[in-house]
């Protein structure tokens, strides 16, 4: 008889025991079980602590590939950037890292454009793009420094991830990867252990409330295998041992324009608007094997809320939750009095509607704007 | 990036002053617009923006000068056609910031000057800042000298104030902040690529500091320029990209050019001729050269719409002057190109050591925009227009039928003249003469003389001669359908997929001449003018040949005989051969050969005469 101590399917300690060894083994097993149970209790408490939701959204979008034939990775990242901007996250809350310049590349037959659909239907580069890290700046070190916040003092604000403990962060990585690593610019790699540790640092420093990690590379599921910090949800475009495939080439540009997973993800996101109530379970269904050829995977065991109740816009959009009550608060201020034109103090009305927290988007749809203003500012 | 999400971190703003200033801003804007309408236009004066400014040089005689007080914004575009057929456009946007911080006062009021740059300048005690991003290399031998030169990649040089104690540390911080503002990798500038030039980069603004320890210069030759650098550059302009000349700055056209350079220059200038007070001047420049073949599609005709895919609709309301200059020095009487819409304003300026003449469009005048409310400058070069010209081509698809089209152009404005068209078409393109049509200007044009000799297979070709009358300023089209013949397999050339040639058609005509011709003897005239005999005074003889045609005939697959022989021989050999063998072969049992020992034993037995094993 073989007794094994396992942790998540990996055998840690196997023994073919005599009777006293069985007793020792049972004792160790009970001890470890209690320890994990206590840990669960802690994480339950953590779950209750964070039930109140997030107040701001950040996005870190990284393309790690260089060279013209990796056009599709830049197009992937830019299409997610475009969706995220459309749904409300401003440029100051997005850290966009592109390892190479495709738009103004000399091989691009249409300069200043990056297309995601063939026949040049959709230009995801656009006119108002802000790339924070570009070219040689996209390195493993810079990526980890952005995540953990350990940047030199002179780094400008647009290059920092200034998240706090109420931020929901979306992290999107794309490029070439393998079992347990992601390649940066064909010269260095980041391993899944490093990434998991970086997220743990972020958790310890309270740099996120909830984090959604999406990766579109070959064998992408290996990158989220090692996560151990709470409140992480991860999606990958392919399982270990599978390759993520590209979608379609454009004959005029001469390269593949998008990867399949991100192409169908973009199509899915095009149907989302700031007040939509689509939840994460639908996101997990994006790109089944028939469309993607690889099997997308996801991991939600570290996430404390039920994915069916997590809105897509919690991560992709910038929707604020506003709590409205019926009390009036007079702001006693160290400010100097306002000029004559506005001759009233500001009343902030709080109304409680069924004690539920209603997202702002629904309020905007159901409450006429003028009525709200008049109630909030009952003065000239 | 000057948008409302960035909270000010460099300088503490006080809330009340902000509110006051907002009220002041609206009042000042109204004042500013009133002043703009009253500005008069000078017809001929030396424009100070075109003169390369020397340090401390006050602007030349400029009557009447506006009251030197508040922020000022001027925009200007210069279009200069280049000798190689390309066109060079140079934008300059000049914002003057009425703030004197040579002294110690903190500045917190920003009107036209962009706040992001202003905060950088005050925090890092910058006296002069010059940064440029360039894609492409300026071809001096083909294009001449640029108004504002810049090296490929990024270049940054800064003069710091003499109050700065740690210049290197400030330089490092400044490059990082600028990399955030312009979305460029300027943070790669460090001590390994920074120098302190002692003589080459003297300050371009006022000031007499010569201690070059306050100067830093660095270049990043690998730095690329793309939309992400153009967008923050445009956001520094008071009107953004919404009004004035900056509406032309669209990235799809700007980056599809041979040379693109955008720069920001900040320096202190004098506010008045006596230079009692100084102010900061910000010049944003953008130079672009559009290529004749890439952007111009080979045609030497340029317009604002062709270059930028936009036209101008209004001047920036915050600008005190908004002008477009077109360099017409090489075109005094309009012989080289024609500029439309015409403008009466002409200016001369001394630039790059040469006196050049410019046509001026003043965008602050409503009259510049005409009735269509948009201004699209068009420069059209005079094209060569010979009187008689022709083209020929094959139309249709497939390998059975087709059409031959011959186009004859008569470019004479009012004279019609007759031409003789000769076509000799090989016999394997069987012409259907009943489909012959001749049309000019859409109407049927019957030839007055036709001579047609049909072809005979493998003996003679078609011959078609016609006398056509060409109406003035028209195109005459002659069309005839044909069918392709299948040749015998020995008649094909060794490379039949190349196609078969049809010789040029010949057009012979007596073309009306501009000058009276001399019909006398040709003995003392040069050879090139006396080839064709001259019988008439008013016209000269001319032959025009069209292009030859290359036509594909239905071609058999010449590898088929070989394939057939191989296949047949294989079938015969395998099929018949096996059958023959099967029927005629007999089989015998064969003894296996004995081993070595047995063979030796058999030899010995033979000697002994005993039966073998």
């Amino acid at each position: 008889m073989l007794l094994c101590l396992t942790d998540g399917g990996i055998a840690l300690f196997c023994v073919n025991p005599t009777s006293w060894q069985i007793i020792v083994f049972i004792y160790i097993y009970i001890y470890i079980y209690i320890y994990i149970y206590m840990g669960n209790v802690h994480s339950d408490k953590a779950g209750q602590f964070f039930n109140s939701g997030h107040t701001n959204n950040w996005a870190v979008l990284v393309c790690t590939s260089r060279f013209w034939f990796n056009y599709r990775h830049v197009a992937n990242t830019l299409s997610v950037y475009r969706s995220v901007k459309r749904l409300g996250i401003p440029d100051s809350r997005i850290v966009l890292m592109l390892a190479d310049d495709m738009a103004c590349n000399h091989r691009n037959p249409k300069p200043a454009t990056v297309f995601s659909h063939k026949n040049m239907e959709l230009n995801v580069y656009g006119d108002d793009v802000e790339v924070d890290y570009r070219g040689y700046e996209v390195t493993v070190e810079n990526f980890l420094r952005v995540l953990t916040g350990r940047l030199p003092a002179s780094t400008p604000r647009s290059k920092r991830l200034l998240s706090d403990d109420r931020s929901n962060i979306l992290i999107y990585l794309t490029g070439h990867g393998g079992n347990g690593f992601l390649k940066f610019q064909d010269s260095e790699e980041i391993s899944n252990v490093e990434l998991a540790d970086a997220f743990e640092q972020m958790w310890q420093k309270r740099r996120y409330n909830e984090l959604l990690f999406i990766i579109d590379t070959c064998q992408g599921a290996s990158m989220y295998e090692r996560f151990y910090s709470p409140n992480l949800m991860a999606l990958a475009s392919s399982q270990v041992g599978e390759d993520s495939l590209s979608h379609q080439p454009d004959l005029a540009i001469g390269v593949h324009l998008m990867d399949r997973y991100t192409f169908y993800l973009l199509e899915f996101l095009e149907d989302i608007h700031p007040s939509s109530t689509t939840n994460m379970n639908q996101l997990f269904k994006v790109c089944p094997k028939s469309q993607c050829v690889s099997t997308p995977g996801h991991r939600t065991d570290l996430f404390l809320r039920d994915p069916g109740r997590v809105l897509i816009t919690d991560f992709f959009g910038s929707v604020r939750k506003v709590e409205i009550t019926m009390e009036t608060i007079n702001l006693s201020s160290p400010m100097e009095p306002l000029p004559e034109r506005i001759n009233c103090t500001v009343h902030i009305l709080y109304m409680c509607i069924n004690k539920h927290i209603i997202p702002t988007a629904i309020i905007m749809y159901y409450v006429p704007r003028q009525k709200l203003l008049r109630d909030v500012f009952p003065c000239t | 990036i000057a948008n409302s999400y960035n909270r000010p971190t460099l300088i503490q703003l006080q809330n009340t002053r902000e509110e006051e200033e907002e009220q002041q801003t609206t009042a000042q804007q109204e004042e500013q617009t009133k002043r703009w309408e009253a500005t008069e236009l000078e017809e001929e004066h030396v424009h100070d923006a075109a003169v390369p400014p020397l340090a401390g040089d006050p602007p030349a005689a400029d009557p009447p000068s506006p009251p030197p007080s508040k922020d000022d914004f001027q925009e200007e575009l210069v279009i200069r056609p280049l000798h190689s057929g390309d066109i060079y456009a140079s934008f300059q946007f000049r914002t003057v910031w009425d703030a004197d911080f040579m002294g110690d006062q903190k500045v917190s009021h920003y009107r036209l000057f962009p706040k992001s740059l202003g905060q950088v300048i005050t925090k890092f005690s910058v006296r002069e800042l010059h940064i440029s991003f360039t894609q492409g290399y300026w071809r001096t031998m083909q294009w001449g000298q640029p108004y504002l030169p810049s090296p490929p990649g990024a270049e940054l040089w800064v003069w710091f104030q003499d109050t700065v104690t740690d210049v290197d540390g400030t330089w490092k911080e400044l490059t990082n902040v600028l990399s955030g503002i312009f979305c460029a990798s300027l943070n790669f500038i460090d001590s390994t690529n920074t120098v302190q030039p002692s003589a080459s980069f003297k300050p371009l603004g006022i000031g007499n500091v010569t201690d070059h320890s306050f100067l830093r210069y660095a270049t990043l030759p690998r730095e690329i320029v793309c939309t992400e650098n153009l967008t923050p550059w445009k956001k520094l302009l008071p009107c953004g990209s919404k009004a004035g000349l900056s509406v032309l700055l669209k990235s799809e056209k700007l980056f599809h050019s041979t040379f693109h350079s955008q720069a920001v220059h900040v320096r202190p200038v004098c506010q008045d001729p006596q230079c009692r007070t100084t102010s900061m001047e910000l010049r944003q420049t953008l130079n672009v050269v559009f290529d004749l073949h890439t952007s111009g599609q080979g045609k030497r005709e340029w317009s604002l719409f062709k270059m930028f895919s936009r036209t101008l609709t209004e001047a920036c309301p915050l600008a005190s002057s908004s002008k477009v200059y077109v360099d017409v020095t090489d075109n005094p009487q309009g012989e080289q190109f024609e500029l439309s819409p015409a403008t009466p304003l002409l200016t001369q300026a001394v630039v790059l050591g040469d006196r050049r003449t410019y046509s001026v469009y003043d965008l602050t005048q409503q009259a510049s925009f005409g009735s269509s409310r948009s201004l699209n400058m068009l420069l059209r070069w005079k094209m060569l227009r010979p009187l008689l010209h022709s083209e020929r081509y094959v139309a249709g698809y497939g390998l059975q039928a087709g059409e031959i089209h011959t186009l004859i152009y008569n470019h004479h404005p009012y004279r019609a003249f007759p031409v003789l068209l000769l076509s000799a078409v090989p016999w394997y393109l069987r012409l259907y003469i009943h489909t012959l049509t001749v049309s000019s200007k859409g109407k049927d044009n019957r030839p007055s003389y036709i001579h047609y000799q049909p072809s005979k297979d493998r003996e003679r070709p078609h011959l078609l001669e016609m006398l056509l009358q060409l109406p003035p300023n028209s195109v005459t089209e002659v069309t005839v359908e044909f069918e392709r013949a299948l040749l015998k397999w020995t008649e094909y050339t060794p490379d039949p997929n190349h196609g078969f040639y049809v010789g040029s058609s010949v057009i012979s005509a007596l073309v009306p001449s501009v000058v009276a011709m001399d019909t006398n003897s040709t003995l003392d005239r040069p050879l090139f003018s006396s080839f064709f005999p001259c019988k008439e005074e008013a016209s000269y003889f001319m032959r025009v040949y069209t292009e030859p045609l290359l036509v594909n005939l239905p071609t058999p697959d010449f590898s088929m005989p070989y394939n057939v022989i191989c296949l047949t021989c294989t079938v015969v050999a395998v099929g018949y051969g096996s059958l023959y063998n099967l029927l005629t072969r007999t089989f015998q049992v064969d003894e296996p050969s004995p081993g070595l020992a047995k063979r030796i034993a058999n030899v010995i037995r033979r000697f002994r005469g005993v039966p073998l094993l």
Side-chain angles (χ1 to χ4, degrees):
Chain A
M1 184 183 64
L2 205 65
L3 275 176
C4 279
L5 209 59
T6 62
D7 177 7
I10 305 164
L12 291 176
F13 175 71
C14 274
V15 72
N16 192 0
T18 58
S19 58
W20 71 266
Q21 281 175 341
I22 292 172
I23 294 166
V24 167
F25 175 79
I26 290 169
Y27 182 74
I28 292 171
Y29 190 77
I30 290 169
Y31 180 73
I32 289 170
Y33 179 76
I34 290 171
Y35 180 75
I36 291 169
Y37 173 71
M38 296 306 289
N40 273 340
V41 166
H42 283 310
S43 61
D44 272 342
K45 280 196 184 152
Q48 284 162 17
F49 179 74
F50 283 98
N51 233 350
S52 46
H54 64 286
T55 58
N56 55 75
N57 284 82
W58 286 81
V60 178
L61 310 173
V62 184
C63 160
T64 59
S65 304
R66 174 165 280 276
F67 305 122
W68 174 246
F69 50 82
N70 289 320
Y71 183 102
R72 58 188 187 278
H73 296 139
V74 173
N76 287 350
T77 317
L78 286 173
S79 49
V80 176
Y81 172 76
R82 185 180 163 274
S83 305
V84 147
K85 263 182 91 161
R86 183 177 59 86
L87 291 172
I89 303 187
D91 270 321
S92 53
R93 297 270 167 93
I94 302 177
V95 177
L96 178 63
M97 304 171 78
L98 298 179
D100 201 359
D101 167 54
M102 298 304 168
C104 288
N105 196 314
H106 293 298
R107 287 177 162 175
N108 194 348
K110 297 208 75 182
T113 56
V114 173
F115 292 106
S116 63
H117 286 62
K118 68 172 182 194
N119 299 326
M120 303 189 192
E121 283 164 17
L122 182 60
N123 174 17
V124 289
Y125 193 63
D127 227 0
D128 189 16
V129 60
E130 181 189 305
V131 181
D132 301 303
Y133 287 84
R134 63 179 196 173
Y136 296 131
E137 293 178 292
V138 178
T139 57
V140 173
E141 183 188 338
N142 280 347
F143 175 58
L144 292 176
R145 281 185 185 279
V146 164
L147 286 184
T148 54
R150 297 175 190 271
L151 290 159
S154 52
T155 317
R157 288 177 71 89
S158 56
K159 289 185 167 177
R160 288 178 187 262
L161 179 65
L162 298 166
S163 53
D164 52 27
D165 62 323
R166 303 290 289 273
S167 307
N168 274 12
I169 307 183
L170 165 73
I171 296 187
Y172 177 82
L173 294 175
T174 182
H176 289 288
N179 190 355
F181 67 92
L182 171 63
K183 205 164 62 151
F184 266 68
Q185 296 209 41
D186 221 7
S187 70
E188 49 180 3
E189 312 162 342
I190 185 173
S191 65
N192 48 5
V193 176
E194 278 180 323
L195 197 58
D197 288 341
F199 286 154
E200 177 63 15
Q201 272 199 50
M202 288 173 79
W203 172 252
Q204 301 270 349
K205 289 161 81 169
R206 297 291 179 261
R207 279 170 68 77
Y208 69 89
N209 173 27
E210 285 168 348
L211 197 143
L212 175 64
F213 174 78
I214 304 183
I215 184 160
D216 187 353
T217 64
C218 303
Q219 307 193 51
S222 63
M223 289 303 284
Y224 61 63
E225 267 173 8
R226 300 293 191 123
F227 289 173
Y228 55 94
S229 320
N231 268 336
L232 292 179
M233 192 183 327
L235 278 107
S237 60
S238 56
Q239 302 294 331
V240 174
E242 286 181 350
D243 285 340
S244 281
L245 300 178
S246 59
H247 190 234
Q248 46 179 300
D250 180 291
L251 297 175
I253 299 178
V255 284
H256 285 260
L257 294 184
M258 282 272 269
D259 279 334
R260 282 175 190 250
Y261 182 73
T262 312
F263 181 81
Y264 290 107
L265 180 69
L266 178 66
E267 274 191 7
F268 172 79
L269 289 175
E270 290 285 310
D271 290 331
I272 309 282
H273 49 272
S275 66
S276 78
T277 48
T278 330
N279 58 37
M280 280 294 168
N281 281 335
Q282 273 125 326
L283 186 64
F284 297 150
K285 293 193 206 132
V286 162
C287 208
K289 191 165 170 115
S290 53
Q291 284 176 326
C292 251
V293 184
S294 57
T295 320
H298 56 92
R299 179 175 179 180
T300 51
D301 56 315
L302 294 167
F303 203 75
L304 293 166
R305 291 196 283 154
D306 171 29
R309 295 202 299 168
V310 179
L311 300 177
I312 301 279
T313 49
D314 278 354
F315 289 101
F316 286 91
S318 185
V319 180
R320 313 290 176 81
K321 288 200 167 56
V322 176
E323 191 179 313
I324 318 175
T325 69
M326 248 330 228
E327 301 153 17
T328 311
I329 295 180
N330 262 339
L331 300 170
S332 64
S333 63
M335 294 193 303
E336 294 176 48
L338 298 172
E340 295 304 308
R341 200 157 49 96
I342 305 170
N343 56 358
C344 56
T345 54
V346 175
H347 288 273
I348 303 170
L349 289 182
Y350 286 88
M351 294 179 307
C352 190
I353 302 176
N354 293 335
K355 291 186 187 157
H356 284 317
I357 297 167
I358 300 176
T360 316
I362 296 184
I363 297 170
M364 278 158 54
Y365 272 60
Y366 292 147
V367 175
R369 242 206 195 132
Q370 281 162 338
K371 181 178 169 205
L372 197 66
L373 275 176
R374 249 182 267 126
D375 288 339
V376 173
F377 294 106
C379 50
T380 50
Chain B
I1 312 285
N3 59 33
S4 55
Y5 283 106
N6 282 339
R7 295 197 298 274
T9 53
L10 301 178
I11 290 179
Q12 294 302 320
L13 286 188
Q14 292 158 20
N15 295 338
T16 48
R17 275 198 69 185
E18 226 186 325
E19 299 240 2
E20 265 177 25
E21 280 130 29
E22 272 175 13
Q23 289 176 351
Q24 258 184 25
T25 311
T26 43
Q28 270 174 5
Q29 264 189 15
E30 287 165 59
E31 193 194 313
Q32 184 74 347
T33 47
K34 280 192 219 139
R35 205 157 48 102
W36 161 58
E37 276 161 38
T39 306
E40 282 175 47
L41 190 68
E42 253 68 77
E43 286 238 355
E44 266 186 287
H45 65 273
V46 179
H47 196 270
D48 51 83
V51 177
L54 303 168
D57 216 10
D62 201 12
S65 59
S69 55
K70 306 299 174 189
D71 288 5
D72 183 48
F73 176 64
Q74 295 173 339
E75 53 180 17
E76 160 192 298
L77 163 63
V78 180
I79 297 180
R80 182 171 112 194
L82 302 168
H83 279 278
S84 54
D86 308 324
I87 195 153
Y88 171 35
S90 173
F91 291 83
Q92 272 208 43
F93 300 93
R94 178 179 183 252
T95 312
V96 178
W97 186 19
D98 184 35
D100 181 20
F101 50 95
M102 299 295 214
D104 218 8
Q105 21 163 300
K106 273 197 177 172
V107 188
S108 51
H109 172 51
Y110 296 94
R111 200 176 138 252
L112 296 178
F113 201 88
K115 185 160 97 172
S116 49
L117 264 193
Q119 288 176 338
V120 165
I121 291 169
T122 42
K123 171 160 191 197
F124 296 109
S125 308
V126 166
R127 208 174 90 214
E128 276 193 31
L129 176 106
H130 302 270
I131 183 168
S132 74
F133 297 95
T134 310
Q135 163 212 311
Y137 179 64
W138 182 268
R139 311 259 159 220
T140 315
M141 287 308 286
Q142 289 163 20
W143 300 340
Q145 296 285 355
Y147 295 125
L148 296 134
S150 50
E155 184 201 46
L156 170 65
W157 58 281
V158 175
W159 272 96
F160 289 96
Q161 310 263 16
D162 44 4
T163 52
V164 174
T165 44
D166 175 21
V167 183
D168 284 320
T170 321
W171 170 250
K172 188 83 186 105
E173 286 182 30
L174 176 68
T175 51
N176 275 312
V177 166
L178 288 176
S179 89
I181 292 178
F182 290 107
C183 283
S185 320
L186 297 175
N187 46 317
F188 283 132
I189 293 178
D190 55 9
S191 61
T192 57
N193 49 22
T194 307
V195 291
Q196 302 178 31
S198 58
S200 308
F201 282 94
K202 292 294 183 212
L204 288 180
I206 57 171
N208 49 5
V209 172
T210 49
D211 184 0
H212 64 269
S213 66
F214 291 103
L215 169 65
R216 293 291 183 275
Y217 174 87
T219 50
L220 289 172
R222 180 84 198 247
E223 197 60 27
I224 45 151
V225 195
C226 207
T227 314
E228 67 245 23
N229 309 112
L230 182 66
T231 308
W233 186 94
K234 283 198 285 190
K235 287 186 181 165
L236 298 175
L237 297 170
C239 279
S241 52
K242 306 280 193 304
L245 292 173
S246 44
V247 300
L248 297 177
L249 303 175
K250 290 297 163 196
S251 49
E252 289 99 14
K253 286 297 207 168
L254 278 183
F255 291 106
H256 200 48
S257 57
T258 335
F259 178 83
H260 171 97
S261 169
Q262 63 195 54
V264 169
H265 301 277
V266 180
R267 60 185 177 173
V269 292
C270 292
Q271 272 182 358
D272 52 344
Q274 289 80 22
C275 213
R276 276 172 303 212
T277 41
T278 58
S279 48
M280 268 312 204
E281 176 199 74
L282 162 69
R283 285 209 192 197
Q284 288 174 255
T285 65
L286 196 140
N287 292 336
V288 61
V289 173
F290 291 105
D291 185 59
L292 174 66
H293 301 287
T294 328
S295 316
Q297 289 126 30
K299 271 181 65 177
R300 202 169 175 192
E301 180 187 307
W302 290 107
S303 69
L304 279 188
F305 190 78
K306 196 173 185 189
M307 292 195 279
F308 303 107
S309 69
R310 293 285 187 291
T311 58
L312 294 167
T313 49
E314 55 169 344
C316 172
L318 301 169
S320 61
S321 109
S322 174
K323 295 205 172 92
V324 179
Y325 296 85
V326 182
D327 189 341
V328 293
T329 318
D330 299 321
N331 194 40
Q333 266 80 46
E335 330 84 25
Q336 265 201 23
F337 61 84
E338 174 203 328
L339 176 62
S340 66
T343 172
L345 303 167
L346 219 56
T347 235
Q348 285 209 334
V350 176
V351 59
L352 300 168
D354 190 17
R355 181 171 288 273
R356 316 278 299 177
T357 317
Y358 297 89
S359 291
V360 185
Y361 294 85
D362 189 351
L363 300 181
T364 52
Q365 305 289 345
Q366 203 47 40
S368 315
F369 295 104
S371 53
S372 57
R373 305 281 170 85
S374 86
L375 176 60
N376 181 20
M377 252 139 288
L378 182 63
L379 285 83
R380 191 188 283 124
W381 268 258
K382 303 282 168 74
M383 288 204 304
L384 212 55
R385 301 284 271 188
L387 291 177
L388 181 62
H389 167 60
S390 78
E391 292 171 355
R392 189 170 70 152
Y393 58 90
V394 170
Y397 59 90
L399 286 175
Q400 193 190 354
E403 287 177 20
I404 300 181
H405 293 244
T406 311
L407 300 167
I408 310 173
Y409 295 85
N410 175 7
H411 289 309
H412 202 286
Y414 51 85
R415 291 278 301 270
F417 52 88
V419 298
L420 267 170
L421 170 66
L422 169 85
S423 298
V425 177
W427 64 267
Y428 42 78
L429 299 186
R430 300 181 212 263
L431 296 180
Y432 290 118
I433 291 296
H434 73 280
T435 59
L436 175 69
T437 59
V438 183
S439 63
S440 309
K441 291 185 176 178
K443 288 188 303 197
D444 220 16
N445 180 3
R446 307 200 90 224
S448 45
Y449 166 73
I450 301 186
H451 168 59
Y452 173 64
Q453 190 183 44
S455 68
K456 250 189 172 170
D457 273 9
R458 298 178 183 84
E459 275 187 33
R460 60 168 198 253
H462 301 272
L463 173 68
L464 177 63
E465 260 184 290
M466 294 191 289
L467 179 67
L468 301 169
Q469 190 76 10
L470 301 181
N473 212 17
S474 67
V475 184
T476 306
E477 185 166 350
V478 178
T479 321
V480 62
E481 285 180 26
F482 64 86
E483 192 187 61
R484 296 167 217 239
L486 188 65
L487 302 178
K488 294 183 182 170
W489 72 289
T490 46
E491 291 175 344
Y492 284 96
T493 55
D495 57 345
N497 288 301
H498 180 79
F500 289 78
Y501 283 92
V502 178
S504 307
S505 295
V506 189
I507 296 163
S508 321
L510 277 174
V511 182
S513 77
V514 178
V515 175
M517 312 279 284
D518 184 10
T519 50
N520 296 333
S521 73
T522 62
L523 287 173
D524 52 351
R525 282 195 294 178
L527 299 174
F528 59 81
S529 70
S530 59
F531 184 73
F532 288 109
C534 181
K535 304 273 171 53
E536 290 178 39
E537 275 185 2
S539 48
Y540 63 96
F541 179 74
M542 194 162 106
R543 273 219 183 98
V544 175
Y545 292 93
T546 63
E547 299 99 333
L549 302 174
L550 186 59
V551 176
N552 262 337
L553 290 185
T555 311
D557 182 357
F558 290 103
S559 60
M560 277 314 287
Y562 168 77
N563 291 344
V564 168
I565 290 169
C566 277
L567 186 66
T568 319
C569 290
T570 310
V571 167
V572 166
V574 170
Y576 176 70
S578 332
L579 198 63
Y580 177 77
N581 274 333
L582 213 58
L583 293 175
T584 55
R585 195 175 279 178
T586 57
F587 292 94
Q588 300 172 340
V589 179
D590 197 17
E591 298 278 332
S593 65
L596 183 63
K598 275 199 182 164
R599 271 196 260 136
I600 293 173
N602 277 340
V603 165
I604 297 170
R605 281 192 171 215
R606 232 186 265 133
F607 280 139
R608 286 172 56 192
V610 170
L612 303 174
L613 288 169

